[in-house]
PDB file of all heavy atoms in Angstrom:
ATOM      1  N   LEU A   1     287.926  48.982  26.974  1.00 49.00           N
ATOM      2  CA  LEU A   1     287.737  50.417  26.848  1.00 49.00           C
ATOM      3  C   LEU A   1     286.266  50.774  26.632  1.00 49.00           C
ATOM      4  O   LEU A   1     285.758  51.718  27.252  1.00 49.00           O
ATOM      5  CB  LEU A   1     288.598  50.977  25.701  1.00 49.00           C
ATOM      6  CG  LEU A   1     290.081  51.068  25.951  1.00 49.00           C
ATOM      7  CD1 LEU A   1     290.778  51.506  24.686  1.00 49.00           C
ATOM      8  CD2 LEU A   1     290.350  52.071  27.091  1.00 49.00           C
ATOM      9  N   LYS A   2     285.603  50.075  25.758  1.00 55.00           N
ATOM     10  CA  LYS A   2     284.235  50.382  25.443  1.00 55.00           C
ATOM     11  C   LYS A   2     283.320  50.158  26.669  1.00 55.00           C
ATOM     12  O   LYS A   2     282.403  50.928  26.905  1.00 55.00           O
ATOM     13  CB  LYS A   2     283.734  49.577  24.260  1.00 55.00           C
ATOM     14  CG  LYS A   2     282.514  50.216  23.563  1.00 55.00           C
ATOM     15  CD  LYS A   2     282.352  49.690  22.160  1.00 55.00           C
ATOM     16  CE  LYS A   2     281.268  50.479  21.441  1.00 55.00           C
ATOM     17  NZ  LYS A   2     281.074  50.018  20.046  1.00 55.00           N
ATOM     18  N   LEU A   3     283.577  49.117  27.377  1.00 54.00           N
ATOM     19  CA  LEU A   3     282.800  48.842  28.625  1.00 54.00           C
ATOM     20  C   LEU A   3     282.973  49.969  29.580  1.00 54.00           C
ATOM     21  O   LEU A   3     282.052  50.501  30.179  1.00 54.00           O
ATOM     22  CB  LEU A   3     283.272  47.527  29.241  1.00 54.00           C
ATOM     23  CG  LEU A   3     282.593  46.236  28.734  1.00 54.00           C
ATOM     24  CD1 LEU A   3     283.295  45.058  29.368  1.00 54.00           C
ATOM     25  CD2 LEU A   3     281.129  46.244  29.065  1.00 54.00           C
ATOM     26  N   GLY A   4     284.262  50.435  29.763  1.00 54.00           N
ATOM     27  CA  GLY A   4     284.543  51.500  30.679  1.00 54.00           C
ATOM     28  C   GLY A   4     283.876  52.802  30.303  1.00 54.00           C
ATOM     29  O   GLY A   4     283.295  53.495  31.169  1.00 54.00           O
ATOM     30  N   LEU A   5     283.856  53.157  29.046  1.00 54.00           N
ATOM     31  CA  LEU A   5     283.246  54.385  28.591  1.00 54.00           C
ATOM     32  C   LEU A   5     281.710  54.338  28.801  1.00 54.00           C
ATOM     33  O   LEU A   5     281.081  55.339  29.182  1.00 54.00           O
ATOM     34  CB  LEU A   5     283.535  54.578  27.096  1.00 54.00           C
ATOM     35  CG  LEU A   5     284.985  54.981  26.767  1.00 54.00           C
ATOM     36  CD1 LEU A   5     285.173  54.959  25.257  1.00 54.00           C
ATOM     37  CD2 LEU A   5     285.248  56.380  27.306  1.00 54.00           C
ATOM     38  N   THR A   6     281.137  53.183  28.584  1.00 56.00           N
ATOM     39  CA  THR A   6     279.653  53.079  28.746  1.00 56.00           C
ATOM     40  C   THR A   6     279.286  53.198  30.216  1.00 56.00           C
ATOM     41  O   THR A   6     278.324  53.866  30.553  1.00 56.00           O
ATOM     42  CB  THR A   6     279.162  51.741  28.194  1.00 56.00           C
ATOM     43  OG1 THR A   6     279.622  51.620  26.829  1.00 56.00           O
ATOM     44  CG2 THR A   6     277.653  51.667  28.235  1.00 56.00           C
ATOM     45  N   VAL A   7     280.028  52.538  31.094  1.00 54.00           N
ATOM     46  CA  VAL A   7     279.737  52.637  32.519  1.00 54.00           C
ATOM     47  C   VAL A   7     279.836  54.084  32.981  1.00 54.00           C
ATOM     48  O   VAL A   7     278.997  54.571  33.751  1.00 54.00           O
ATOM     49  CB  VAL A   7     280.696  51.762  33.349  1.00 54.00           C
ATOM     50  CG1 VAL A   7     280.561  52.032  34.797  1.00 54.00           C
ATOM     51  CG2 VAL A   7     280.440  50.305  33.048  1.00 54.00           C
ATOM     52  N   MET A   8     280.841  54.812  32.469  1.00 47.00           N
ATOM     53  CA  MET A   8     281.015  56.209  32.879  1.00 47.00           C
ATOM     54  C   MET A   8     279.880  57.086  32.304  1.00 47.00           C
ATOM     55  O   MET A   8     279.463  58.064  32.945  1.00 47.00           O
ATOM     56  CB  MET A   8     282.387  56.711  32.392  1.00 47.00           C
ATOM     57  CG  MET A   8     283.544  56.064  33.098  1.00 47.00           C
ATOM     58  SD  MET A   8     285.140  56.585  32.388  1.00 47.00           S
ATOM     59  CE  MET A   8     285.165  58.327  32.789  1.00 47.00           C
ATOM     60  N   ALA A   9     279.392  56.772  31.119  1.00 54.00           N
ATOM     61  CA  ALA A   9     278.412  57.622  30.461  1.00 54.00           C
ATOM     62  C   ALA A   9     277.029  57.445  31.009  1.00 54.00           C
ATOM     63  O   ALA A   9     276.206  58.318  30.940  1.00 54.00           O
ATOM     64  CB  ALA A   9     278.406  57.309  28.932  1.00 54.00           C
ATOM     65  N   PHE A  10     276.778  56.289  31.610  1.00 53.00           N
ATOM     66  CA  PHE A  10     275.437  55.960  32.039  1.00 53.00           C
ATOM     67  C   PHE A  10     275.042  56.781  33.269  1.00 53.00           C
ATOM     68  O   PHE A  10     275.636  56.599  34.361  1.00 53.00           O
ATOM     69  CB  PHE A  10     275.324  54.486  32.352  1.00 53.00           C
ATOM     70  CG  PHE A  10     274.032  53.879  31.871  1.00 53.00           C
ATOM     71  CD1 PHE A  10     274.030  53.018  30.758  1.00 53.00           C
ATOM     72  CD2 PHE A  10     272.854  54.171  32.487  1.00 53.00           C
ATOM     73  CE1 PHE A  10     272.859  52.459  30.327  1.00 53.00           C
ATOM     74  CE2 PHE A  10     271.661  53.636  32.055  1.00 53.00           C
ATOM     75  CZ  PHE A  10     271.671  52.793  30.954  1.00 53.00           C
ATOM     76  N   GLY A  11     274.081  57.695  33.162  1.00 50.00           N
ATOM     77  CA  GLY A  11     273.726  58.568  34.278  1.00 50.00           C
ATOM     78  C   GLY A  11     272.410  58.235  34.908  1.00 50.00           C
ATOM     79  O   GLY A  11     271.864  58.986  35.709  1.00 50.00           O
ATOM     80  N   LEU A  12     271.859  57.069  34.622  1.00 47.00           N
ATOM     81  CA  LEU A  12     270.504  56.740  35.101  1.00 47.00           C
ATOM     82  C   LEU A  12     270.446  55.944  36.407  1.00 47.00           C
ATOM     83  O   LEU A  12     269.367  55.649  36.878  1.00 47.00           O
ATOM     84  CB  LEU A  12     269.776  55.921  34.023  1.00 47.00           C
ATOM     85  CG  LEU A  12     269.237  56.760  32.858  1.00 47.00           C
ATOM     86  CD1 LEU A  12     268.853  55.848  31.730  1.00 47.00           C
ATOM     87  CD2 LEU A  12     268.065  57.601  33.248  1.00 47.00           C
ATOM     88  N   VAL A  13     271.588  55.612  36.975  1.00 39.00           N
ATOM     89  CA  VAL A  13     271.587  54.781  38.114  1.00 39.00           C
ATOM     90  C   VAL A  13     270.812  55.386  39.299  1.00 39.00           C
ATOM     91  O   VAL A  13     270.235  54.663  40.095  1.00 39.00           O
ATOM     92  CB  VAL A  13     273.067  54.482  38.539  1.00 39.00           C
ATOM     93  CG1 VAL A  13     273.754  55.706  39.082  1.00 39.00           C
ATOM     94  CG2 VAL A  13     273.062  53.362  39.619  1.00 39.00           C
ATOM     95  N   SER A  14     270.713  56.701  39.359  1.00 40.00           N
ATOM     96  CA  SER A  14     270.024  57.346  40.467  1.00 40.00           C
ATOM     97  C   SER A  14     268.509  57.259  40.375  1.00 40.00           C
ATOM     98  O   SER A  14     267.807  57.556  41.348  1.00 40.00           O
ATOM     99  CB  SER A  14     270.435  58.829  40.519  1.00 40.00           C
ATOM    100  OG  SER A  14     270.029  59.499  39.354  1.00 40.00           O
ATOM    101  N   LEU A  15     268.011  56.786  39.281  1.00 42.00           N
ATOM    102  CA  LEU A  15     266.567  56.692  39.092  1.00 42.00           C
ATOM    103  C   LEU A  15     265.955  55.498  39.855  1.00 42.00           C
ATOM    104  O   LEU A  15     264.777  55.481  40.128  1.00 42.00           O
ATOM    105  CB  LEU A  15     266.173  56.566  37.631  1.00 42.00           C
ATOM    106  CG  LEU A  15     266.401  57.814  36.776  1.00 42.00           C
ATOM    107  CD1 LEU A  15     266.104  57.512  35.314  1.00 42.00           C
ATOM    108  CD2 LEU A  15     265.548  58.966  37.238  1.00 42.00           C
ATOM    109  N   GLY A  16     266.760  54.530  40.185  1.00 42.00           N
ATOM    110  CA  GLY A  16     266.247  53.399  40.924  1.00 42.00           C
ATOM    111  C   GLY A  16     267.164  53.071  42.069  1.00 42.00           C
ATOM    112  O   GLY A  16     268.232  53.610  42.225  1.00 42.00           O
ATOM    113  N   ALA A  17     266.738  52.130  42.928  1.00 43.00           N
ATOM    114  CA  ALA A  17     267.579  51.800  44.093  1.00 43.00           C
ATOM    115  C   ALA A  17     267.338  50.339  44.447  1.00 43.00           C
ATOM    116  O   ALA A  17     266.215  49.833  44.410  1.00 43.00           O
ATOM    117  CB  ALA A  17     267.246  52.693  45.289  1.00 43.00           C
ATOM    118  N   GLY A  18     268.429  49.653  44.781  1.00 46.00           N
ATOM    119  CA  GLY A  18     268.319  48.277  45.273  1.00 46.00           C
ATOM    120  C   GLY A  18     267.901  47.280  44.230  1.00 46.00           C
ATOM    121  O   GLY A  18     267.364  46.213  44.565  1.00 46.00           O
ATOM    122  N   VAL A  19     268.171  47.534  42.967  1.00 50.00           N
ATOM    123  CA  VAL A  19     267.786  46.592  41.904  1.00 50.00           C
ATOM    124  C   VAL A  19     268.965  45.791  41.477  1.00 50.00           C
ATOM    125  O   VAL A  19     270.027  46.328  41.233  1.00 50.00           O
ATOM    126  CB  VAL A  19     267.236  47.386  40.682  1.00 50.00           C
ATOM    127  CG1 VAL A  19     266.850  46.414  39.609  1.00 50.00           C
ATOM    128  CG2 VAL A  19     266.016  48.198  41.071  1.00 50.00           C
ATOM    129  N   THR A  20     268.839  44.507  41.459  1.00 53.00           N
ATOM    130  CA  THR A  20     269.925  43.657  41.032  1.00 53.00           C
ATOM    131  C   THR A  20     269.904  43.494  39.536  1.00 53.00           C
ATOM    132  O   THR A  20     268.881  43.747  38.868  1.00 53.00           O
ATOM    133  CB  THR A  20     269.822  42.277  41.684  1.00 53.00           C
ATOM    134  OG1 THR A  20     268.664  41.599  41.203  1.00 53.00           O
ATOM    135  CG2 THR A  20     269.760  42.359  43.198  1.00 53.00           C
ATOM    136  N   ALA A  21     271.009  43.033  38.980  1.00 48.00           N
ATOM    137  CA  ALA A  21     271.109  42.870  37.502  1.00 48.00           C
ATOM    138  C   ALA A  21     270.202  41.766  37.052  1.00 48.00           C
ATOM    139  O   ALA A  21     269.808  41.710  35.902  1.00 48.00           O
ATOM    140  CB  ALA A  21     272.549  42.530  37.174  1.00 48.00           C
ATOM    141  N   GLN A  22     269.767  40.865  37.964  1.00 52.00           N
ATOM    142  CA  GLN A  22     268.939  39.758  37.561  1.00 52.00           C
ATOM    143  C   GLN A  22     267.400  40.070  37.682  1.00 52.00           C
ATOM    144  O   GLN A  22     266.570  39.220  37.445  1.00 52.00           O
ATOM    145  CB  GLN A  22     269.227  38.509  38.392  1.00 52.00           C
ATOM    146  CG  GLN A  22     270.585  37.885  38.057  1.00 52.00           C
ATOM    147  CD  GLN A  22     271.741  38.706  38.661  1.00 52.00           C
ATOM    148  OE1 GLN A  22     271.589  39.301  39.738  1.00 52.00           O
ATOM    149  NE2 GLN A  22     272.845  38.774  37.939  1.00 52.00           N
ATOM    150  N   ALA A  23     267.088  41.282  38.145  1.00 56.00           N
ATOM    151  CA  ALA A  23     265.701  41.633  38.368  1.00 56.00           C
ATOM    152  C   ALA A  23     264.880  41.552  37.069  1.00 56.00           C
ATOM    153  O   ALA A  23     265.350  41.914  36.004  1.00 56.00           O
ATOM    154  CB  ALA A  23     265.590  43.030  38.933  1.00 56.00           C
ATOM    155  N   LYS A  24     263.651  41.081  37.230  1.00 79.00           N
ATOM    156  CA  LYS A  24     262.740  41.000  36.071  1.00 79.00           C
ATOM    157  C   LYS A  24     262.287  42.417  35.677  1.00 79.00           C
ATOM    158  O   LYS A  24     261.857  43.186  36.520  1.00 79.00           O
ATOM    159  CB  LYS A  24     261.518  40.140  36.401  1.00 79.00           C
ATOM    160  CG  LYS A  24     260.596  39.930  35.225  1.00 79.00           C
ATOM    161  CD  LYS A  24     259.456  38.990  35.647  1.00 79.00           C
ATOM    162  CE  LYS A  24     258.531  38.754  34.448  1.00 79.00           C
ATOM    163  NZ  LYS A  24     257.415  37.890  34.790  1.00 79.00           N
TER     164      LYS A  24
END
């Protein structure tokens, strides 16, 4: 549940593009 709420709340994804989770 907590993971789901955080994913929904996070509004910053539009600030970047094409970045992988492993990016430095």
